[in-house]
Amino acid sequence: MGLFDLVREEQEAKKKAEESAKEDAVVEEVEKVEEAPKEATEVAEKPAVKKSIKKKAPAEKTYKYPFGVYSEGRLIDISSYGFVDGQDYTEKEITDIMLKHRHYEFAGTMEYSYIEDDNVLVVTGKQHRKG
């Protein structure tokens, strides 16, 4: 088990803990609304609805394998990296797989561009600009 596996497990554990905490908070709000008298219920429902509605995070782009990966001026041979034909992969999953196979250029924040004609993902490190 490598360092990246441990980091990924920690991140997944944190996400599960956050999700269960959010679910518990929603259940508590619903129980409070159910216990209130009928007159108070109508008033209590409006704030509860406002609190429970949250903006959804933008859906992460997915790419269907087989595709090529172009990074740092070269096309990387990913045929033996465990990608499954016909399966969709998110940008984060692709980054994790590439890091497992010692492509350390994927360690930073990456930007993905898809060239449909050549079926290639062009991966570049995200440039942080001040100003």
Side-chain angles (χ1 to χ4, degrees):
M1 180 177 279
L3 173 66
F4 295 110
D5 294 330
L6 294 173
V7 171
R8 186 173 346 127
E9 286 180 8
E10 287 179 13
Q11 290 174 346
E12 290 173 1
K14 286 180 184 179
K15 287 181 183 178
K16 288 179 182 179
E18 290 174 0
E19 289 174 2
S20 65
K22 289 178 184 177
E23 290 174 4
D24 292 341
V26 170
V27 169
E28 289 176 8
E29 287 182 22
V30 170
E31 288 175 355
K32 287 179 184 177
V33 171
E34 290 176 356
E35 292 175 3
K38 291 182 180 179
E39 296 174 10
T41 304
E42 294 176 11
V43 175
E45 286 180 13
K46 292 179 182 177
V49 170
K50 290 180 183 177
K51 290 181 182 177
S52 63
I53 296 175
K54 295 182 180 179
K55 294 180 182 177
K56 292 184 179 179
E60 196 168 346
K61 291 183 181 178
T62 59
Y63 304 98
K64 186 174 290 237
Y65 187 78
F67 50 78
V69 176
Y70 183 85
S71 176
E72 295 190 349
R74 61 190 169 96
L75 191 60
I76 301 171
D77 179 23
I78 59 171
S79 60
S80 63
Y81 288 5
F83 288 101
V84 179
D85 286 350
Q87 184 173 344
D88 289 335
Y89 291 93
T90 63
E91 293 174 353
K92 183 174 180 354
E93 291 173 331
I94 296 168
T95 300
D96 292 341
I97 291 170
M98 297 305 286
L99 283 171
K100 280 184 186 177
H101 290 87
R102 298 184 178 186
H103 288 280
Y104 299 118
E105 67 267 23
F106 286 79
T109 305
M110 306 307 291
E111 291 180 343
Y112 288 79
S113 302
Y114 183 67
I115 300 174
E116 195 169 334
D117 294 339
D118 297 330
N119 194 26
V120 172
L121 278 175
V122 178
V123 185
T124 55
K126 190 170 188 177
Q127 301 276 330
H128 299 285
R129 302 195 187 268
K130 293 184 178 181

